[in-house]
Amino acid sequence: MKDEDQLDRALRALLAETDADAAPAVEARLRAAFRALPAETALPPRAEAGPWVWVASLAAAAGVGGLVLAGRAAVEPPVVRPAAPVVRAASTPVPRVSLAPAPVATAAAAARPARSRPRRRPSEPAPFEALYPGDPLADLDAVHVVRVSVPRSSLFALGLRQRPGSQDDAVEMDAMVGPDGVARAVRFVTAR
Amino acid sequence: VDLAEAEADELLRRASRGDEEAFAALYRRFQGPVHRFAWRMTGRREIAEDVTQETFLALLRGPTRYEKERGPLGAYLYGIARNLLSRRAGRDRPYVPLSEGEAGALRATDLGADPERQRAVGSVREAVLGLPVHYREVVVLCELQGLPYEEAATVLECPVGTVRSRLHRARALLAARLRTDRAPSWSGAKRTVETAS
């Protein structure tokens, strides 16, 4: 009994010692990740897909039925269809930004073909542009995104294209800083 | 469904549609338990912050993976954090924990702290961290996080009876360890902790 009481006291002391929230920086990083997330990954939960699920199901059923009928009626040798497209990395010049290693990413999720035209929220910022061409940003283990204000005249020195305009203005941008403290990519918050 | 759960589901629904403030509200509501769980499981706050961040990133990237029929959102987040901790267990081995002497020296610099209390907390912390993971999880979830057995069972994906029996065994191990710590040490004899399953 004495042991039990002492154990309870010790556990309560440990509880009080470790009773703290995460640092505010974690929320800031998550908010940045939220803004950087492509809109197509943020889908409504399955249960609330609504009547479109039924419409799509009926369309798919009709399509399958049509294929079966067409198969029966066919007298010519079957046409060899081209193989399914090979899933490969997007060929956009700017690598996709990963703020942290995807903790629950699965091979199936990685192999899922991307949508042809990703939707973008009106308020979504521009994609990150690598400051060093060929820099494998996706390999970074952890990055920080810092919002900075940069004189427009400095953009050229950073190797970034700019529209002609007053060189006195400042532009706001998010800088992606690697674990070594070096800025690796930027994205513009305000128009260049 | 209780009101808090319904509210959390609603926040998740809004967050999954691009509402940043809903996501932030969800984060503020659940980050504390997740962070403290990871901290108490590892004894390291920096790992706890990483795990907290990765847990919510996982939620952010796959909100549809959560199925409310399988349990409340809090339990789902605990489950993600638990998986992340399990993956880290192997990866973080290169980091060597401080020896007792080094840790003691660091604690001694905290002038405002009561040395006796610090010793007691250090002792129980080490005892908890020294438990096998399946015992440590029930101690942290039930004794430190205050989860009911049923919710702990949901997180750990095991029957409630298993939670009870593991907790009983874990408490016995902890009590034995603390008793050994309190006993005078003789000629530097090596202490061992019984870790029978």
Side-chain angles (χ1 to χ4, degrees), chain B residues 141-158:
Chain B
L141 287 174
C142 299
E143 297 283 357
L144 301 177
Q145 302 286 111
L147 256 61
Y149 291 165
E150 291 74 17
E151 202 169 333
T154 306
V155 173
L156 301 174
E157 296 173 314
C158 68

Side-chain angles (χ1 to χ4, degrees), chain A residues 165-184:
Chain A
S166 167
Q167 298 298 299
D168 298 332
D169 291 350
V171 288
E172 270 203 330
M173 59 168 77
D174 289 337
M176 187 199 299
V177 182
D180 51 3
V182 177
R184 311 295 279 274

Side-chain angles (χ1 to χ4, degrees), chain B:
Chain B
V1 179
D2 103 358
L3 190 62
E5 273 181 42
E7 198 183 326
D9 289 343
E10 170 63 14
L11 285 173
L12 181 62
R13 191 186 60 78
R14 280 170 46 203
S16 69
R17 291 182 176 174
D19 184 340
E20 183 180 332
E21 291 312 314
F23 177 70
L26 207 55
Y27 169 79
R28 285 181 202 141
R29 181 156 174 179
F30 290 104
Q31 58 83 23
V34 170
H35 177 254
R36 287 189 283 273
F37 170 67
W39 189 6
R40 289 161 180 167
M41 282 296 291
T42 61
R44 293 176 56 189
R45 201 166 178 183
E46 68 278 13
I47 291 183
E49 299 211 333
D50 279 358
V51 168
T52 306
Q53 178 171 320
E54 287 176 30
T55 300
F56 283 89
L57 276 174
L59 181 68
L60 190 59
R61 288 179 174 135
T64 56
R65 290 194 190 110
Y66 164 60
E67 294 167 16
K68 61 183 170 189
E69 298 78 22
R70 296 183 64 183
L73 184 60
Y76 175 71
L77 292 172
Y78 271 128
I80 297 177
R82 187 171 166 246
N83 288 338
L84 291 168
L85 287 169
S86 164
R87 286 186 205 176
R88 274 181 171 265
R91 218 169 66 196
D92 290 341
R93 271 180 201 150
Y95 294 96
V96 179
L98 292 176
S99 69
E100 180 52 35
E102 290 166 325
L106 284 176
R107 283 197 291 270
T109 60
D110 185 1
L111 298 176
D114 170 7
E116 185 55 32
R117 182 187 162 84
Q118 287 290 338
R119 196 194 64 78
V121 170
S123 203
V124 71
R125 185 194 298 120
E126 280 173 32
V128 169
L129 293 176
L131 288 172
V133 172
H134 57 290
Y135 289 145
R136 202 188 322 153
E137 285 175 336
V138 289
V139 169
V140 170
L141 287 174
C142 299
E143 297 283 357
L144 301 177
Q145 302 286 111
L147 256 61
Y149 291 165
E150 291 74 17
E151 202 169 333
T154 306
V155 173
L156 301 174
E157 296 173 314
C158 68
V160 176
T162 306
V163 172
R164 283 203 182 94
S165 62
R166 282 184 189 171
L167 187 59
H168 180 75
R169 181 75 186 134
R171 284 184 62 95
L173 289 172
L174 286 175
R177 170 68 188 261
L178 294 178
R179 208 167 35 238
T180 314
D181 279 357
R182 283 194 304 272
S185 59
W186 302 99
S187 62
K190 191 178 177 183
R191 287 193 310 251
T192 55
V193 177
E194 185 189 359
T195 56
S197 56

